[in-house]
Amino acid sequence: MNRRGLLAAGAAGVAAGLTGAEPAAAKPGLLPRVPVRTGMDRLAAAGWDAVRGERIGVVSNPTGVDREYRHLVDRMHADGVSIGGVFGPEHGFRGSAQAGGSEGTGTDARTGLTVYDAYLASQATWAQMFTAAGVRTVVFDIQDIGARFYTYIYTLYDSMAAAARLGLRYLVLDRPNPVGGRAYGPMMTDGFTSGVGRLKIVQQHGMTVGELARFYNGEFLVAEAGRPVDLEVIDCRGWAGRLRAGDTDLPWVLPSPNIPTPDTALVYPGTGLFEGVSSLSEGRGTTRPFELIGGPGFDHRWRDRVAALNLPGVEFREAYFTPTFNKFTNQLCAGIEVKVSDQAAYDPIRTAVAMLVEARGEAAFAWRVDGGTRYWIDLLTGSSRLRTMIDAGATTDDVVGAWAGELAAFEARRRPYLRYSRLGS
């Protein structure tokens, strides 16, 4: 199938593949999984026709694999596709760097291709790298997590803007959103943008990277780059917004060192907020990051108060842990392990807000302040509202209700760019 045929088949087949696919045969003791074909799967099945004869650049990381864990770059290189360069985001192309780090620019040992360090690259630097690599088409294949403060969605945006300025074609190989298709949380506002929140989207955006790319192209790129990019998306088949990572038959590859499992991904859009609390570890340096939350000045009483709220879809285990790096290295922390019991009922952001409200009353509680002036929680939530409301004694309902209008407006704004059903999500 040629390039146009593949893209047309994706557009025509999206609706048919949403809920009609039969579940894959279950192994003994396991629930059946919904079969999903990613954009990479579909491009490979078509013999790479959509990129044959072009010099391409690939923006990817360890998540860009097929169901046999073969990487997109390795497969295309072996099949003779012309790759001018590979561009690695935070944590690097092969994924060896920790949070806030990258692998640097160098030569990939397996393929001999040049890998450019794209983490924190400006749009001008992206344009320079694309020019140096001599690419005419950019291919993006990275598994996102669905939270505004996860940096891969800004790798997507900045590389799209640079490609638009250079007149390059941009091809997104879509993958499911592992936390589903519903949007939650507050909107980013002027004055609070940063590397953990660059664009005016809500905290849990509920879109795939393909949907986000369409949203960016329609809502932001004309103002940013002067024109939209020549965008094409090869959609998934079989995914719908009601599905989470554990519901599909796709293999899980940790998208960063601190998101090791689908369980971590489920809680991260909420408990990622604890990066904005200096007195509580978000579980980095343990085997359950973002599921374990605690600090040296806390005890069982915080867990008991949170558990008494009877929040939907989640249970709370009294937990004790000693991080091996990041906050409170080698110090005993007491707190909570977040255990999702019903994915459909669970709201990660409301849950995290409730945990913050109950923690704020502890004498040990302190917000994280960077550089002496910026509250990190404000950058994560997109404004000072959540922090000031909690400091003033607001309830969880008060805090969550404050963003209802902006969330509804975002839902309406993103609707034209959605490609997959949200029924039952």
Side-chain angles (χ1 to χ4, degrees):
M1 185 181 292
N2 62 25
R3 168 180 144 196
R4 288 188 179 276
L6 178 60
L7 295 168
V14 169
L18 293 177
T19 56
E22 289 297 323
K27 294 181 180 179
L30 296 178
L31 294 174
R33 302 293 180 89
V34 176
V36 173
R37 298 180 69 204
T38 66
M40 177 194 168
D41 292 334
R42 298 184 60 225
L43 179 63
W48 317 110
D49 282 355
V51 294
R52 285 284 184 191
E54 302 182 37
R55 186 171 174 85
I56 68 169
V58 181
V59 183
S60 193
N61 72 350
T63 64
V65 297
D66 62 18
R67 62 192 62 251
E68 282 78 43
Y69 298 99
R70 297 173 296 180
H71 199 277
L72 170 71
V73 168
D74 300 337
R75 289 195 61 185
M76 288 199 300
H77 178 70
D79 289 346
V81 176
S82 177
I83 302 175
V86 180
F87 304 87
E90 184 179 9
H91 310 294
F93 167 55
R94 295 296 185 182
S96 64
Q98 255 296 344
S102 60
E103 293 175 333
T105 297
T107 302
D108 180 53
R110 174 177 285 275
T111 62
L113 295 168
T114 299
V115 178
Y116 295 86
D117 183 359
Y119 179 44
L120 299 179
S122 67
Q123 292 172 16
T125 300
W126 273 105
Q128 292 168 3
M129 292 188 296
F130 288 155
T131 300
V135 305
R136 297 304 307 161
T137 292
V138 180
V139 177
F140 182 97
D141 189 8
I142 293 178
Q143 175 66 69
D144 181 41
I145 289 300
R148 184 179 58 217
F149 34 73
Y150 210 59
T151 63
Y152 298 150
I153 60 175
Y154 307 113
T155 298
L156 172 66
Y157 181 72
D158 287 332
S159 58
M160 286 178 65
R165 289 192 171 96
L166 294 174
L168 305 181
R169 174 177 166 237
Y170 202 101
L171 177 63
V172 175
L173 306 182
D174 211 5
R175 291 180 178 272
N177 186 321
V179 298
R182 290 181 66 187
Y184 297 93
M187 175 67 72
M188 175 57 61
T189 62
D190 291 331
F192 292 91
T193 58
S194 70
V196 293
R198 290 264 312 281
L199 300 170
K200 290 186 177 180
I201 58 177
V202 296
Q203 188 169 317
Q204 183 174 323
H205 55 73
M207 291 187 275
T208 68
V209 288
E211 290 173 324
L212 266 176
R214 293 184 175 98
F215 183 83
Y216 289 167
N217 218 29
E219 299 292 323
F220 299 135
L221 277 186
V222 172
E224 182 88 23
R227 59 178 174 177
V229 74
D230 178 14
L231 175 66
E232 299 166 8
V233 179
I234 299 180
D235 292 303
C236 301
R237 289 282 187 87
W239 187 77
R242 61 182 172 79
L243 301 174
R244 278 75 172 178
D247 298 323
T248 78
D249 68 343
L250 294 176
W252 179 261
V253 175
L254 65 170
S256 61
N258 295 296
I259 308 290
T261 71
D263 291 341
T264 327
L266 281 174
V267 302
Y268 176 77
T271 54
L273 293 178
F274 284 90
E275 292 184 359
V277 180
S278 64
S279 55
L280 286 165
S281 165
E282 63 274 15
R284 294 181 189 272
T286 76
T287 59
R288 306 299 287 190
F290 301 106
E291 295 174 73
L292 287 169
I293 311 293
F298 290 75
D299 60 27
H300 64 278
R301 288 171 291 186
W302 178 41
R303 177 267 168 195
D304 291 348
R305 290 197 305 275
V306 174
L309 299 174
N310 294 315
L311 297 170
V314 63
E315 303 290 343
F316 302 97
R317 184 182 72 85
E318 180 182 338
Y320 300 86
F321 59 95
T322 303
T324 59
F325 63 88
N326 202 259
K327 296 176 186 173
F328 308 122
T329 301
N330 297 326
Q331 297 182 56
L332 178 63
C333 296
I336 293 169
E337 182 179 5
V338 179
K339 308 289 286 185
V340 178
S341 56
D342 183 343
Q343 295 182 11
Y346 172 63
D347 180 337
I349 299 177
R350 184 186 183 89
T351 299
V353 170
M355 293 169 66
L356 286 168
V357 166
E358 295 302 327
R360 180 63 181 83
E362 295 286 337
F365 184 89
W367 299 112
R368 172 183 166 188
V369 180
D370 281 5
T373 57
R374 299 191 311 172
Y375 286 94
W376 197 252
I377 191 71
D378 296 355
L379 304 183
L380 294 171
T381 60
S383 74
S384 62
R385 182 179 58 201
L386 178 141
R387 174 179 56 84
T388 57
M389 288 186 72
I390 291 177
D391 283 349
T395 67
T396 299
D397 286 343
D398 293 335
V399 176
V400 172
W403 64 61
E406 61 206 45
L407 176 58
F410 176 75
E411 288 272 26
R413 190 179 178 192
R414 75 174 187 151
R415 192 169 297 124
Y417 306 100
L418 301 180
R419 298 281 288 181
Y420 309 95
S421 169
R422 263 63 183 178
L423 297 176
S425 62

